[in-house]
């Protein structure tokens, strides 16, 4: 995916440099724990992944900044690395505990990240590899991670469902595997355990002693030799991490390879631009709306874009293009959504489903238009058509938040609630129910109306203080780092990597065949 044209001298924006700095922070944390880890002869989590995946193939890491600025930053990347890599030519999901982070234990974001990885595996028919090195639930947070529907137990529920769908799951036990976590290898198709290093047990030695009075070592209770020769919980005994990974790669040689979807694929052609040229197309909040067609040209093969309804509903740009040979439908915001643009969006989504074409949403939206005139024209029912069409979509679609993401526009443009296969954000993006300034204006009006209704009064100083506090809170919570920390997306990406990531995502989606779409009632 190289460019025929030389890159112009475009500097990297400050917000991209800031993002890269934040991205590197987890790699330099937990230094003492990492030294202790490697002295035991164990590989660090990223080294394990690098050995597992095929040489010179990309690894798409998901939610690298999960739990950022939470827990006093003591859980970098939420203590778990997840991502899509290629093993023996097969695209696979890798879920790897980082034992140098609180012993690989799980907080809320760890579980959410683990579950999201399993969801992506199910949606795209990806084999799963679990690199297990975890102490289980982080006990001080047990009330937030244990009892609810999408808490720790959902991991094992998902494993059973993945297995029933014929999706292979391989576990490599490279350290502790305790309590409920013992079900991860026990529910896998094949399990590898490293001798004198990996352990699997429902209750560790301290719990056994407390419950029964029995004194036993971790190795005696759940070591590799026990589980490969007596209990049958594990299938392969490895000498060390290197050997365990070698066994896993050998297992992958026998796994069935999914039949790829072959529809609407052309010969891949390069884009007209160097990757970093995209920086000049990044929307800037509060400035004049840039024509999103310029950005689209940076993502598509040869910059070609066959636009659909260019003169109708012009604030939503729709059309067909190829990204690295994959034919897709693109929906991109070029302003606020009006009735016409919503109807156009619903029409285009139906076309893509009918033609079984994946979709790419480029989201930079302040929302749907409001006001008496627009309500009278039926903006609510027109927006509902687009939302209805998207909710019943069966083709894979992917969302990139390139700017603002506000209100119901978030939903209609492929927001998290509507199930995109993958959703990434740019480091300049923001997400909120409305913009900070608009929120302050709305709350000020409500406050004044409340005071008037009760016969009381509110001073200008009080209103200004409330406005300031509202703006500060909304700006903080609209930050892409606040969002990615809570795994509202699948990660922040460098805009220059967008085409590459979309190309890989489109390839991954081909591992599962498309279903036929059907629609409910559209209020006409």
């Amino acid at each position: 995916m190289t460019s025929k044209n030389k890159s112009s001298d475009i500097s990297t924006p400050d917000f991209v440099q800031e993002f890269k700095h934040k991205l590197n922070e987890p790699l330099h944390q937990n230094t003492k724990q990492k030294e202790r880890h490697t002295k035991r002869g164990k590989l660090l989590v990223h080294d394990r992944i690098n050995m597992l995946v095929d040489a010179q193939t990309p690894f798409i890491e998901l939610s690298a900044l999960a739990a950022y600025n939470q827990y006093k930053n003591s859980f970098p990347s939420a203590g778990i690395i997840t991502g899509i890599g290629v093993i023996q030519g097969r695209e696979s999901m890798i879920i790897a505990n980082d034992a140098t982070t609180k012993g690989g234990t799980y907080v809320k974001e760890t579980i959410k990240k683990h579950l999201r990885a399993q969801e992506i595996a199910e949606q795209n028919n990806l084999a799963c590899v679990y690199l297990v090195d975890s102490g289980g639930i982080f006990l001080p947070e047990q009330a937030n991670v244990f009892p609810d529907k999408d808490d720790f137990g959902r991991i094992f529920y998902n494993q059973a469902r993945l297995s029933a769908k014929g999706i292979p799951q391989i576990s490599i036990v490279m350290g502790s595997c305790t309590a409920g976590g013992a079900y991860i290898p026990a529910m896998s198709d094949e399990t590898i355990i490293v001798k004198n290093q990996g352990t699997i047990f429902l209750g560790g030695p301290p719990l056994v002693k407390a419950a029964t009075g029995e004194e036993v070592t971790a190795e005696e209770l759940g070591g590799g030799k026990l589980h490969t020769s007596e209990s049958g919980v594990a299938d392969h005994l490895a000498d060390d991490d290197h050997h365990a990974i070698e066994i896993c790669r050998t297992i992958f040689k026998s796994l069935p390879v999914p039949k790829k979807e072959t529809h609407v694929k052309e010969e891949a052609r390069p884009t007209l631009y160097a990757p970093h040229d995209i920086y000049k197309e990044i929307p800037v909040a509060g400035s004049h709306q840039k024509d999103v067609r310029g950005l689209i040209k940076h993502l598509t093969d040869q910059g070609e874009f066959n636009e659909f309804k260019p003169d109708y509903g012009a604030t939503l740009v729709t059309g067909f293009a190829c990204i690295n040979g994959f034919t897709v439908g693109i929906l991109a915001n070029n302003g606020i959504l009006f009735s016409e643009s919503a109807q156009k969006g619903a029409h285009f989504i139906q076309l893509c489903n009918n033609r079984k074409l994946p979709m790419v949403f480029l989201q930079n939206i302040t929302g749907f238009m409001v006001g008496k005139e627009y309500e009278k024209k039926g903006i609510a029912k027109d927006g509902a058509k687009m939302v209805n069409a998207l909710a019943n979509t069966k083709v894979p679609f992917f969302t990139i938040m390139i700017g603002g993401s506000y209100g119901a526009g978030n939903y209609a443009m492929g927001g998290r609630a509507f199930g995109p296969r993958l959703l990434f954000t740019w480091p300049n993006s923001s997400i909120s129910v409305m913009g900070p300034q608009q929120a302050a204006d709305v709350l000020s009006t409500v406050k004044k109306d409340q005071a008037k209704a009760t016969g009381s009064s509110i001073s200008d100083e009080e209103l200004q203080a409330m406005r300031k506090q509202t703006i500060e809170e909304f700006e903080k919570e609209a930050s892409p780092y606040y969002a990615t920390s809570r795994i509202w997306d699948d990660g922040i990406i460098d805009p220059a990597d967008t085409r590459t990531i979309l190309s890989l995502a489109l390839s991954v989606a081909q591992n599962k065949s498309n279903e036929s779409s059907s629609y409910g009632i559209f209020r006409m």
Side-chain angles (χ1 to χ4, degrees):
M1 289 178 284
T2 56
S3 171
K4 290 183 178 179
N5 293 359
K6 291 184 179 180
S7 173
S8 54
D9 186 18
I10 298 172
S11 60
T12 303
D14 290 343
F15 57 78
V16 175
Q17 295 183 37
E18 179 190 8
F19 157 64
K20 290 184 175 181
H21 175 73
K22 292 180 187 294
L23 198 61
N24 287 325
E25 285 178 10
L27 301 177
H28 304 296
Q29 290 175 289
N30 301 333
T31 304
K32 290 183 179 179
Q33 292 89 334
K34 288 177 180 178
E35 289 177 358
R36 191 181 306 122
H37 184 87
T38 54
K39 282 180 180 178
R40 293 171 179 164
K42 300 168 75 173
L43 294 172
L44 295 174
V45 64
H46 284 97
D47 294 331
R48 289 169 171 172
I49 293 170
N50 289 338
M51 283 193 63
L52 179 62
V53 300
D54 294 352
Q56 298 183 326
T57 61
F59 175 70
I60 304 179
E61 184 172 351
L62 305 172
S63 301
L65 291 172
Y68 181 77
N69 275 348
Q70 298 187 73
Y71 311 101
K72 299 180 180 179
N73 278 322
S74 59
F75 280 87
S77 296
I80 193 169
I81 308 300
T82 64
I84 301 169
V86 179
I87 306 172
Q88 300 288 22
R90 175 172 179 150
E91 291 154 338
S92 306
M93 177 60 69
I94 299 169
I95 301 172
N97 299 118
D98 182 0
T100 68
T101 298
K102 301 290 187 181
T105 51
Y106 280 66
V107 291
K108 180 179 180 180
E109 287 71 25
T110 322
I111 291 169
K112 193 171 182 180
K113 189 170 172 179
H114 192 134
L115 296 180
R116 174 60 179 154
Q118 289 179 315
E119 180 183 32
I120 293 169
E122 187 278 326
Q123 290 175 334
N124 299 284
N125 194 22
L126 302 178
C128 287
V129 177
Y130 304 98
L131 304 182
V132 186
D133 198 346
S134 168
I137 288 172
F138 183 60
L139 292 179
E141 289 287 317
Q142 66 88 22
N144 296 319
V145 300
F146 174 70
D148 209 351
K149 175 185 173 183
D150 288 323
D151 284 346
F152 198 62
R154 195 73 176 187
I155 292 170
F156 320 122
Y157 173 90
N158 286 347
Q159 280 191 265
R161 306 276 292 188
L162 290 169
S163 182
K165 293 183 178 183
I167 295 175
Q169 298 173 85
I170 311 298
S171 281
I172 310 180
V173 181
M174 309 173 106
S176 179
C177 187
T178 306
Y183 289 118
I184 292 177
M187 298 183 73
S188 294
D189 297 14
E190 292 191 52
T191 291
I192 306 151
I193 187 167
V194 179
K195 68 180 181 182
N196 301 319
Q197 180 177 302
T199 55
I200 305 170
F201 33 62
L202 294 180
L207 181 59
V208 169
K209 184 175 181 180
T212 69
E214 181 183 12
E215 292 192 9
V216 62
T217 66
E219 189 66 22
E220 292 170 334
L221 186 63
K225 187 174 181 180
L226 170 86
H227 284 309
T228 53
S229 64
E230 296 184 52
S231 74
V233 172
D235 310 297
H236 307 274
L237 185 63
D239 296 329
D240 53 25
D241 283 5
H242 294 81
H243 187 209
I245 292 168
E246 181 184 330
I247 293 171
C248 181
R249 286 185 52 81
T250 300
I251 290 170
F252 261 75
K253 292 180 180 179
S254 68
L255 297 184
V257 178
K259 182 180 178 182
K260 289 269 191 176
E261 285 282 302
T262 56
H263 59 268
V264 202
K265 178 82 165 64
E266 298 183 6
E267 182 180 351
R269 295 175 297 159
T271 182
L272 295 175
Y273 307 92
H276 287 74
D277 287 344
I278 202 170
Y279 291 150
K280 68 177 182 289
E281 301 294 341
I282 295 174
V284 179
S287 65
H288 180 71
Q289 175 81 40
K290 290 188 177 183
D291 191 333
V292 76
R293 294 174 182 85
L295 169 61
I296 291 171
K297 289 180 180 179
H298 285 73
L299 300 177
T300 62
D301 294 5
Q302 294 292 292
E304 294 174 0
F305 181 57
N306 179 20
E307 192 165 351
F308 173 75
K309 281 186 180 291
D311 300 320
Y312 181 80
T315 57
L316 180 68
V317 174
T318 58
F320 303 101
C322 286
I323 297 178
N324 203 32
F326 295 99
T327 303
V328 299
I330 296 176
L331 298 93
N333 296 121
N334 224 18
I336 199 165
L337 288 170
F338 293 88
S339 282
E340 294 80 5
S341 40
Q343 291 181 60
K344 171 179 166 180
H347 185 177
F348 187 72
I349 290 168
Q350 288 181 309
L351 284 179
C352 290
N353 274 274
N354 183 265
R355 298 174 187 179
K356 292 187 171 9
L357 293 177
M359 295 181 290
V360 173
F361 288 83
L362 302 176
Q363 191 178 118
N364 178 27
I365 180 66
T366 55
F368 286 90
M369 191 63 191
V370 297
K372 181 179 178 180
E373 176 187 350
Y374 305 101
E375 298 292 356
K376 187 176 180 180
K377 288 176 64 177
I379 184 85
K381 67 179 174 64
D382 292 327
K385 293 172 191 173
M386 187 173 177
V387 168
N388 191 328
L390 184 60
N392 287 289
T393 283
K394 298 298 183 183
V395 298
F397 65 94
F398 308 89
T399 302
I400 309 291
M401 291 186 180
I402 65 171
S405 176
Y406 299 114
N410 167 279
Y411 306 145
M413 288 298 297
R416 186 68 133 184
F418 281 72
R421 292 285 180 95
L422 289 167
L423 186 155
F424 293 103
T425 65
W426 284 0
N428 60 299
S429 66
S430 60
I431 178 171
S432 182
V433 69
M434 64 181 69
Q437 192 68 46
Q438 290 85 352
D441 292 343
V442 168
L443 289 175
S444 293
T445 300
V446 170
K447 200 74 174 177
K448 287 188 285 187
D449 289 346
Q450 287 175 340
K452 184 178 180 180
T454 58
S456 57
S457 62
I458 182 169
S459 67
D460 289 341
E461 291 78 11
E462 288 176 298
L463 281 175
Q464 287 303 317
M466 187 197 71
R467 286 177 57 82
K468 181 182 178 183
Q469 181 181 357
T470 300
I471 290 171
E472 289 175 353
E473 288 177 352
F474 267 68
E475 285 179 345
K476 174 188 173 183
E477 294 176 1
S479 161
Y481 299 104
Y482 188 94
T484 205
S485 173
R486 288 152 183 82
I487 318 180
W488 297 348
D489 52 51
D490 293 313
I492 302 173
I493 61 172
D494 183 339
D497 294 333
T498 304
R499 175 177 157 89
T500 299
I501 286 174
L502 283 173
S503 299
L504 294 168
L506 288 161
S507 175
V508 165
Q510 284 197 312
N511 289 306
K512 190 171 182 180
S513 59
N514 295 324
E515 303 172 37
S516 297
S517 297
S518 59
Y519 292 97
I521 302 301
F522 280 48
R523 184 179 293 277
M524 305 307 290

